[in-house]
Amino acid sequence: MIKYAAPEEKGLSSDNILAFCDKLKAHHIPMHSVILYKDDSIVSECYYSPFKKGELHRMFSISKSVTALAIGLLADSGRLSLDDKIVTYFPDKVPSPCHKWLADMTIRDMLMMRTCHVKSTYNKFDLSSDWVGSFFNTVPTKKSGTVFHYDTSAAHVLAALTERLTGTALWDYFRDTLPELELSEGSYILKDGQGVSMGGTGLVATTDDLLKIGILLLNDGSYNGKQLISAKYIREATSLLTHNCVASPLPSEGSGYGYMIWRTERNGFVCYGMGGQLIIVHPQYRIILITTADTQGLSGANQLIYNTFYDEILDKLPEKLPDACPGSDAPANASSLNRLREYEATAQLEIAAPPESFASDSSCKCSLKQLSTGKFHEYTFTDSSYFTGIELMLPDINDDNSEGMLTLKTRDAKLPFPFYLGRNKADILPGYNYKCYSSGYILDESTLYIKTSIIDSIVGSIHFELYFGDNDVTVFIKKIEETMLNEFNATLYGVKNEN
């Protein structure tokens, strides 16, 4: 059972945690959840409404760290050795003749991203292809066991190895072997077209699940006093085994690499997932930061999360850490703690916001040219092969509970996007079965901006900019997502239908 405590009980400051949250908000970083854990307790936990505690979220490359932990479990049980050659487990996939650099590759090489490849070998846009087979049939570029190159296909093959040895899906094996973690029942890992778990990218889990994995790593494989994975393996996995200063994506991930876990500044380590999914662990301070977010398309956003954590929280810990904090009797500042708890209870998912240069939200109260609230306005697109038109109903801007509706029309269907002005409306993404949240903002008398955030087994966003003339509309649609939703990249022109 994970305990809760006031930050001040653990030598932290509620004001500093608020400063961390406020700075991310001021930079419009789309956070979905944040947990700060110190010593043995959660000191701050925040979910950005309407995203809720316990909801599933795609964790992307944190999947690699889970795969590495599963390999550790198999090594502990004697079912494999890290120095085994990977080709011995996949005779059906290995070409003949087999390149020496491939034949010599060990499981340890793969965990350290020292494979014979310089990039992932499979086509992530093609689920029907053999992702595992591509790893063995792509011509090697370099000698295995040498320099670091980030290779997601290595994690995918190790997931396939786990499933071959255990006869069960990767996440099921991990969860069932470690029942003490009480990982969420609804969590899972997506599969490729051949039915192999996407051990490099596919984890769909809760923020609580990430925290439990972080605690396991913080305590060298122990959880609630029970050793679940060997301490030796965890210490190796989280240590500097491979230099990655040339290939690191961010300064805060350039301090080296362990077993599918990144090293970071101040002698910490990170399980990293695209878009701001982070398990940041600093053992010497006994502190863990968990974040889920959608920073895709926002240059520098992930580094900003790291920098803000270091500036506002880690660098403001007492000088004598770790000795000063455990068992601290420092009383909580009631006023600061109340402000923090109020923020945690009321934090909102990032909405369609005005540009930074806007002086106030007063522009949201203006009306769009030639449009009135409470009725549908229809436009037919010209020269469009997919979308044929739109219907738009604006909300009553004087009614906080009134919703608007943007409907994209195709030849076969209508795709509704309900939204609120200035806050999010929860719904299901039309044409897909994903949870989404849409908000709108009137930028000026002619321009409407709608943002749809998707938080599910995919994470991304769709942005709509609609410019209304007297009798026409120009619509710019942009999606920010890794592999799907390509129909939502378009610039369209439409003429108003006269009723």
Side-chain angles (χ1 to χ4, degrees):
M1 186 74 175
I2 297 176
K3 298 186 292 185
Y4 288 79
E8 286 74 12
E9 294 177 57
K10 302 298 177 179
L12 297 170
S13 163
S14 295
D15 284 335
N16 291 343
I17 298 172
L18 272 172
F20 166 81
C21 296
D22 286 343
K23 185 175 285 188
L24 295 182
K25 181 179 179 181
H27 284 85
H28 301 290
I29 306 301
M31 303 304 296
H32 299 161
S33 64
V34 175
I35 295 179
L36 188 63
Y37 179 93
K38 181 73 173 69
D39 298 329
D40 59 356
S41 302
I42 293 173
V43 296
S44 181
E45 182 177 29
C46 185
Y47 296 87
Y48 291 73
S49 179
F51 186 70
K52 301 179 184 66
K53 180 180 176 67
E55 287 194 319
L56 295 177
H57 193 291
R58 179 77 172 272
M59 301 305 181
F60 297 104
S61 287
I62 288 179
S63 314
K64 295 179 175 68
S65 303
V66 170
T67 297
L69 292 175
I71 292 295
L73 289 170
L74 291 171
D76 284 350
S77 65
R79 300 170 83 170
L80 58 77
S81 165
L82 300 191
D83 295 315
D84 289 345
K85 304 292 194 295
I86 190 62
V87 294
T88 63
Y89 291 97
F90 292 90
D92 53 318
K93 302 289 185 181
V94 178
S96 181
C98 178
H99 196 289
K100 176 174 173 55
W101 293 345
L102 174 63
D104 289 344
M105 189 192 309
T106 66
I107 294 172
R108 193 186 307 273
D109 293 336
M110 297 168 72
L111 289 168
M112 296 190 295
M113 293 294 179
R114 289 179 169 180
T115 73
C116 62
H117 304 301
V118 297
K119 61 180 180 180
S120 301
T121 59
Y122 62 80
N123 179 358
K124 63 185 178 183
F125 299 101
D126 182 8
L127 281 174
S128 66
S129 61
D130 184 356
W131 288 13
V132 174
S134 73
F135 185 79
F136 297 99
N137 288 283
T138 298
V139 177
T141 306
K142 62 183 176 69
K143 186 177 179 180
S144 299
T146 57
V147 296
F148 175 97
H149 279 90
Y150 198 62
D151 181 0
T152 299
S153 50
H156 192 71
V157 171
L158 291 179
L161 172 60
T162 301
E163 295 182 343
R164 285 195 172 198
L165 292 178
T166 65
T168 189
L170 170 63
W171 184 248
D172 291 342
Y173 167 69
F174 186 75
R175 183 170 49 197
D176 294 348
T177 306
L178 304 176
E180 295 84 357
L181 296 185
E182 297 182 321
L183 297 167
S184 59
E185 286 297 323
S187 54
Y188 60 97
I189 293 179
L190 297 166
K191 298 181 184 297
D192 70 6
Q194 310 298 313
V196 176
S197 294
M198 296 183 187
T201 65
L203 177 62
V204 181
T206 68
T207 313
D208 285 337
D209 292 331
L210 298 192
L211 176 61
K212 293 170 181 177
I213 292 169
I215 294 170
L216 183 70
L217 294 171
L218 173 67
N219 294 321
D220 289 337
S222 174
Y223 192 85
N224 283 341
K226 183 176 181 181
Q227 197 70 40
L228 303 183
I229 304 178
S230 72
K232 178 179 182 293
Y233 183 84
I234 297 299
R235 289 171 188 147
E236 287 180 359
T238 58
S239 65
L240 169 56
L241 301 177
T242 305
H243 293 288
N244 67 342
C245 51
V246 176
S248 65
L250 296 174
S252 288
E253 293 160 6
S255 298
Y257 200 76
Y259 293 154
M260 296 190 173
I261 295 173
W262 303 82
R263 295 290 301 173
T264 190
E265 303 104 324
R266 297 161 174 80
N267 200 30
F269 58 84
V270 181
C271 304
Y272 163 83
M274 180 182 72
Q277 326 321 316
L278 300 171
I279 306 173
I280 304 175
V281 183
H282 284 271
Q284 71 271 39
Y285 305 124
R286 303 294 300 168
I287 196 167
I288 302 171
L289 175 68
I290 307 292
T291 69
T292 63
D294 181 15
T295 62
Q296 296 172 89
L298 299 176
S299 178
N302 285 348
Q303 187 61 53
L304 182 64
I305 294 174
Y306 284 111
N307 291 347
T308 306
F309 172 54
Y310 296 140
D311 293 345
E312 301 299 338
I313 297 177
L314 210 61
D315 285 349
K316 294 181 179 178
L317 288 169
E319 290 183 356
K320 294 183 179 180
L321 276 173
D323 295 335
C325 277
S328 170
D329 295 324
N333 181 319
S335 176
S336 297
L337 180 59
N338 287 340
R339 288 197 303 272
L340 175 61
R341 297 304 186 229
E342 181 179 2
Y343 178 88
E344 293 167 349
T346 60
Q348 299 290 312
L349 192 66
E350 179 77 5
I351 61 171
E356 192 66 33
S357 60
F358 277 37
S360 70
D361 288 346
S362 61
S363 57
C364 187
K365 296 299 184 183
C366 72
S367 296
L368 292 170
K369 182 188 293 186
Q370 302 297 319
L371 295 179
S372 59
T373 62
K375 64 175 290 188
F376 274 103
H377 303 268
E378 299 184 26
Y379 296 82
T380 298
F381 292 142
T382 60
D383 301 322
S384 172
S385 60
Y386 184 68
F387 294 119
T388 61
I390 63 166
E391 295 177 355
L392 175 69
M393 185 181 72
L394 281 177
D396 182 348
I397 58 178
N398 297 311
D399 181 355
D400 290 339
N401 295 315
S402 180
E403 71 181 50
M405 179 72 76
L406 171 68
T407 302
L408 288 170
K409 298 165 68 175
T410 72
R411 288 178 175 81
D412 302 316
K414 291 185 177 183
L415 308 178
F417 287 82
F419 65 94
Y420 291 126
L421 289 181
R423 62 191 178 96
N424 281 294
K425 165 73 175 175
D427 203 63
I428 299 297
L429 185 67
Y432 299 86
N433 191 32
Y434 302 133
K435 293 178 182 177
C436 68
Y437 310 90
S438 298
S439 60
Y441 195 91
I442 299 174
L443 296 176
D444 58 39
E445 67 174 8
S446 300
T447 311
L448 173 65
Y449 170 38
I450 298 171
K451 176 184 178 182
T452 296
S453 298
I454 306 153
I455 310 176
D456 207 302
S457 59
I458 69 168
V459 173
S461 56
I462 304 172
H463 303 257
F464 304 88
E465 181 180 342
L466 298 90
Y467 183 92
F468 295 92
D470 290 336
N471 295 293
D472 61 4
V473 65
T474 302
V475 182
F476 175 33
I477 310 175
K478 179 182 179 181
K479 70 98 177 186
I480 302 176
E481 195 279 332
E482 185 181 23
T483 59
M484 303 176 65
L485 311 178
N486 290 327
E487 66 271 30
F488 294 107
N489 278 327
T491 300
L492 307 161
Y493 174 76
V495 177
K496 189 172 186 179
N497 297 345
E498 297 298 335
N499 294 327

